[in-house]
Amino acid sequence: MLTIVEKIAFILLAIGAGYFAYKPFKQMYDIIMLGKGEDKLQIDQIPVRLGKAIAALFTQGNIMRKGRTVSSIMHTGIAWGFIFYLLVNGVDTMEGYLPYEWHFWTGDFFVWGIYRLLADVLTVSVLVGMIYFLVRRFIANDKALTTRENVMLDPKARAGGIRKDSLIVGLFMLFHVGSRFFGAAALIAAHGHGAGDAWQPFASMLSGIYGDGSNAMAFWHVFWWGALGSILLFTPYFPRTKHAHLFMGPLNFGTRPDRGALGAMNKIDFDDEDKEEFGALHFLDLSPTSIMDGFSCIMCNRCQDACPAYTTGKELSPAALEINKRYYMKGHMDVLAGGTAEPLPMVGNFLSESALWACTSCGACSDICPVGNEPMMDILEMRRAQVLMEDSYPEELGNAFQGIERRGNPWDSTDSRMAWTEGLPFEVPTVSENPDFEYLFWVGCAGAFDPNSQKTARAVATILNAAGVSFAILGDEETCTGDPARRAGNEYLFFEMASANVETLNGYGVDKKRIVTGCPHCLTSLSTEYKEFGGDYKVHHTTQMISDLVGRGKLKLNKGNELEHVTFHDPCFLGRHNGIYTDPRDALKEAGLTLLEMDRTGSKSACCGAGGAQVWKEEEHGTE
């Protein structure tokens, strides 16, 4: 037990730590709430969202499924240890204020034995994990923790700020947990447990360093202060470190919007006459959830590894974007929280112009992030601002915008959308010819105008016809969903296309039918993003439809295919964005084909490079 002087000193230290910690924590909150963007923090359905936060805390954002197996295991061990230390630190505080004979948690009760075992094992897991990460960063110099020179990165971060922060926090964790470990061993030695405490095998092994235990309690006092005093001294610094992700990550998961699809965007109300700015032109134009991302970022660079633009040597690193946000907030907390910060443009300060237009909107960064960050959404909001506020975008995109606006397709083609039906041995009815259709086949611009995609459209129609399914198409009444415009930042053009399409679809009663489409981008727009425009549709990908028809016995696939072995490339908007992975594979297997998986498959599939309106413009400069 502590002396009376120590007890008073600890209380005063706790009060002082709370006083000095209040300001940075309050500043974090104030800065987050300054965000003006459309994505507000969601605080409805508290039990559900609390469950998401807790699940994220204990699974570490499903970190184990996201590669870097050894690092993931080590990080999970550290995280679980620190979660449990919330209880351990509380018990150890009581240990300092109560006589030893009152320490009921040291008895032989099974529950308290389990507590001591968990404290012992998790203490070692934290120490081993922390040593691993320090060696990885400072001795092995893992290149995965660095960012190429052609990427815009805050000068302080580039000059070693992240390494310095990691070293400070790493040494603190070793000191805090190590002190507790030595203190537990001292307590075992001091109270003559002989062979030690069976519930604390590691601390018992360490207790031998105290000899006969005569001076062990003196060491216990030192290590008690080392463990609990250090946590109080560190608390005011904690919000300023990247290790704020320990609590910001779960909070991020619990409050972020339920998008329906991974990268689904919010509608901008252009009828609101009070709205004068669109997108994220300046830092505080970002949404609260996007600002929270900067505080949540663990700076692990997993998103950077997954990014196809970074992989091919371009200037875009989603990790650098979040790091730049974090360092800007860290260096300007007083003026930002006080509402006196000058507007800081996003392009040129947080992301280069080349990096902005290199994003394919593949969603790999959002999918892999263990703390729930969505850097892709920041980029799309920045594109909105560049197009709508600055009238600035790659010249080639203007042609696609013009084509969508004038003729309802980004090719600006004057051909009929019915051209793909020519040569089929059956009639493909339009909705006016077959108003009682079961499925509306949404062909899409590619299916209507691209020669290769026209083959796919004909194949889908053939399958529907062979299965005896009543279907129809919109024909020349179909227009582009607006997805290329939205992902390129032309939100007003998307607004126009979505509004017109919803009016057409609802006019034919499609909201009471089902839509099938082969385009993953059309799938996202029709099934998720059109809901805000009054279009609530049941939308299926063609492979889902095939699996359903086979399952219902309406379709039998020929198995005499000349191909024997095939592979399937998961499109970003079908897989990561909409979670559709099994149906395409089931359809291939039903056709008697042997499926071979590539190294990068499922959620780890490599982006083809065409998304985010990239197909309509020249690729940004890269190294490969």
Side-chain angles (χ1 to χ4, degrees):
M1 186 172 70
L2 300 175
T3 65
I4 187 65
V5 173
E6 287 177 306
K7 290 178 181 179
I8 294 171
F10 186 77
I11 291 172
L12 293 175
L13 180 61
I15 293 172
Y19 173 80
F20 287 106
Y22 171 78
K23 181 180 178 180
F25 276 102
K26 177 66 164 54
Q27 286 179 327
M28 290 174 73
Y29 173 80
D30 289 341
I31 294 169
I32 290 169
M33 299 312 294
L34 285 173
K36 302 173 187 174
E38 305 293 330
D39 287 333
K40 307 301 181 185
L41 300 182
Q42 304 299 305
I43 54 174
D44 59 334
Q45 300 177 304
I46 298 297
V48 175
R49 294 193 174 278
L50 185 60
K52 287 182 180 180
I54 293 172
L57 179 63
F58 281 94
T59 67
Q60 293 295 287
N62 294 314
I63 196 172
M64 294 302 295
R65 76 166 179 85
K66 297 175 178 178
R68 300 187 186 178
T69 303
V70 175
S71 294
S72 296
I73 292 172
M74 293 295 182
H75 190 276
T76 301
I78 292 174
W80 286 356
F82 256 73
I83 293 168
F84 194 72
Y85 256 58
L86 294 173
L87 174 61
V88 169
N89 288 333
V91 171
D92 286 355
T93 300
M94 289 194 296
E95 202 169 75
Y97 279 80
L98 298 175
Y100 182 78
E101 56 270 18
W102 290 11
H103 295 183
F104 52 86
W105 54 89
T106 62
D108 294 328
F109 296 111
F110 180 74
V111 172
W112 300 115
I114 293 297
Y115 160 76
R116 298 204 302 281
L117 178 63
L118 287 174
D120 194 54
V121 171
L122 290 173
T123 291
V124 173
S125 77
V126 171
L127 294 173
V128 171
M130 202 63 251
I131 291 170
Y132 165 82
F133 282 114
L134 289 172
V135 169
R136 177 177 177 240
R137 184 177 288 276
F138 295 101
I139 297 177
N141 290 312
D142 192 336
K143 290 184 178 180
L145 300 175
T146 62
T147 301
R148 282 196 315 270
E149 291 294 330
N150 69 331
V151 172
M152 180 177 288
L153 186 66
D154 186 278
K156 291 182 179 179
R158 180 77 73 185
I162 299 174
R163 287 170 63 90
K164 177 184 176 182
D165 185 27
S166 297
L167 182 62
I168 291 172
V169 175
L171 293 177
F172 154 72
M173 291 172 72
L174 287 179
F175 184 80
H176 168 58
V177 177
S179 293
R180 199 275 169 185
F181 190 37
F182 278 90
L187 208 57
I188 291 172
H191 291 279
H193 284 286
D197 181 357
W199 290 105
Q200 300 183 81
F202 294 108
S204 294
M205 285 190 287
L206 186 64
S207 66
I209 66 172
Y210 298 107
D212 61 6
S214 58
N215 61 348
M217 281 309 294
F219 282 103
W220 174 83
H221 278 259
V222 172
F223 290 124
W224 188 94
W225 276 99
L228 295 174
S230 64
I231 197 79
L232 292 179
L233 290 172
F234 186 77
T235 302
Y237 177 69
F238 194 47
R240 299 182 180 276
T241 76
K242 71 187 183 75
H243 293 79
H245 73 267
L246 182 65
F247 59 91
M248 293 301 293
L251 188 60
N252 206 18
F253 271 107
T255 59
R256 70 178 181 177
D258 297 317
R259 301 188 183 281
L262 180 70
M265 300 176 68
N266 283 330
K267 173 185 177 182
I268 291 179
D269 185 4
F270 289 102
D271 294 327
D272 183 358
E273 296 181 357
D274 294 330
K275 198 168 185 64
E276 298 179 352
E277 296 183 359
F278 307 104
L281 191 62
H282 302 103
F283 176 75
L284 290 179
D285 294 332
L286 291 172
S287 66
T289 188
S290 292
I291 294 175
M292 185 183 285
D293 285 351
F295 284 119
S296 303
C297 182
I298 192 174
M299 304 184 189
C300 63
N301 287 358
R302 287 174 184 260
C303 58
Q304 177 178 279
D305 288 349
C307 177
Y310 188 85
T311 301
T312 51
K314 298 177 178 61
E315 294 181 16
L316 174 60
S317 163
L321 171 60
E322 298 298 344
I323 292 169
N324 290 340
K325 286 158 61 178
R326 184 72 176 93
Y327 268 77
Y328 171 63
M329 291 187 289
K330 180 180 178 179
H332 300 82
M333 290 186 78
D334 289 335
V335 294
L336 282 168
T340 58
E342 292 293 325
L344 185 67
M346 292 295 295
V347 177
N349 292 289
F350 299 89
L351 206 64
S352 69
E353 185 175 359
S354 176
L356 175 67
W357 296 105
C359 176
T360 66
S361 72
C362 71
C365 57
S366 301
D367 179 69
I368 203 168
C369 181
V371 290
N373 285 356
E374 300 175 303
M376 175 185 71
M377 303 308 293
D378 291 0
I379 292 171
L380 296 178
E381 289 295 336
M382 291 165 65
R383 286 182 177 181
R384 277 177 166 176
Q386 290 302 303
V387 174
L388 300 177
M389 304 298 296
E390 300 290 286
D391 194 28
S392 174
Y393 48 86
E395 183 179 351
E396 305 96 328
L397 287 179
N399 298 326
F401 294 159
Q402 190 177 60
I404 295 172
E405 187 173 6
R406 291 197 312 181
R407 298 193 171 91
N409 70 83
W411 275 275
D412 200 16
S413 174
T414 58
D415 294 343
S416 169
R417 281 183 175 265
M418 298 287 289
W420 65 272
T421 65
E422 296 173 5
L424 287 173
F426 55 88
E427 292 295 323
V428 177
T430 63
V431 287
S432 57
E433 295 167 337
N434 181 22
D436 297 324
F437 59 90
E438 179 186 355
Y439 277 103
L440 174 76
F441 176 25
W442 184 277
V443 181
C445 296
F449 302 111
D450 176 67
N452 284 324
S453 297
Q454 285 178 336
K455 297 175 186 176
T456 304
R458 284 193 285 269
V460 172
T462 301
I463 289 171
L464 287 166
N465 182 69
V469 174
S470 176
F471 75 101
I473 62 173
L474 286 173
D476 287 324
E477 288 189 78
E478 182 182 300
T479 61
C480 179
T481 61
D483 169 80
R486 173 166 258 196
R487 263 70 202 179
N490 195 337
E491 184 65 21
Y492 185 75
L493 182 53
F494 175 81
F495 180 92
E496 292 291 307
M497 302 308 294
S499 300
N501 281 326
V502 167
E503 183 178 355
T504 300
L505 291 168
N506 289 351
Y508 285 110
V510 178
D511 52 325
K512 299 177 179 63
K513 307 292 182 71
R514 289 193 282 182
I515 299 176
V516 61
T517 182
C519 174
H521 293 261
C522 293
L523 176 77
T524 299
S525 295
L526 292 166
S527 65
T528 304
E529 296 183 322
Y530 275 20
K531 287 181 179 178
E532 289 188 290
F533 293 83
D536 191 0
Y537 309 118
K538 298 180 180 68
V539 189
H540 309 274
H541 188 253
T542 50
T543 58
Q544 291 178 302
M545 176 203 67
I546 292 170
S547 293
D548 177 60
L549 293 174
V550 170
R552 288 193 283 155
K554 287 194 169 188
L555 183 68
K556 186 174 181 180
L557 302 181
N558 294 329
K559 305 220 174 188
N561 200 300
E562 63 183 21
L563 295 172
E564 291 183 0
H565 297 88
V566 297
T567 192
F568 180 74
H569 171 257
D570 293 273
C572 302
F573 272 69
L574 188 66
R576 276 189 294 270
H577 282 257
N578 286 286
I580 300 172
Y581 297 109
T582 59
D583 294 288
R585 291 165 171 80
D586 290 343
L588 291 170
K589 290 173 183 175
E590 286 293 336
L593 299 171
T594 301
L595 184 67
L596 304 178
E597 294 288 2
M598 293 179 277
D599 289 337
R600 294 188 61 172
T601 187
S603 64
K604 297 179 182 177
S605 175
C607 178
C608 76
Q614 294 295 322
V615 71
W616 308 111
K617 54 184 275 296
E618 287 297 321
E619 192 175 5
E620 272 68 33
H621 175 71
T623 58
E624 57 183 301

